[in-house]
Amino acid sequence: MRKFILNSSIISSIIGGFSVIQTTRKGPRDWRLILMWLSWGITLALAVGSVLQSDEDARELEGH
């Protein structure tokens, strides 16, 4: 769990999520809002994927 909390890409993604939430509350609701949520979701998925890949690479190096 610590590997996710302390990762800079995860932290950046979470901060971006707060920005999208604020825009959803105060901004107009149109097609751009859907794209913002989609973009944030992709960013979060990539951040989680990179953490998992890093962890897998580290475990491979330990094994050899």
Side-chain angles (χ1 to χ4, degrees):
M1 186 68 168
R2 183 177 67 214
K3 63 186 169 193
F4 288 103
I5 293 172
L6 299 177
N7 188 285
S8 62
S9 61
I10 298 289
I11 293 169
S12 174
S13 177
I14 290 171
I15 291 170
F18 286 127
S19 173
V20 173
I21 289 170
Q22 291 300 320
T23 303
T24 301
R25 284 187 193 170
K26 298 177 183 176
R29 296 187 180 221
D30 58 359
W31 59 273
R32 290 176 288 181
L33 185 62
I34 295 169
L35 289 179
M36 287 179 70
W37 277 104
L38 227 126
S39 172
W40 177 75
I42 291 169
T43 301
L44 182 62
L46 287 171
V48 169
S50 72
V51 171
L52 292 175
Q53 185 66 39
S54 275
D55 186 51
E56 185 179 314
D57 291 345
R59 288 178 191 227
E60 281 183 14
L61 287 176
E62 286 177 1
H64 288 122

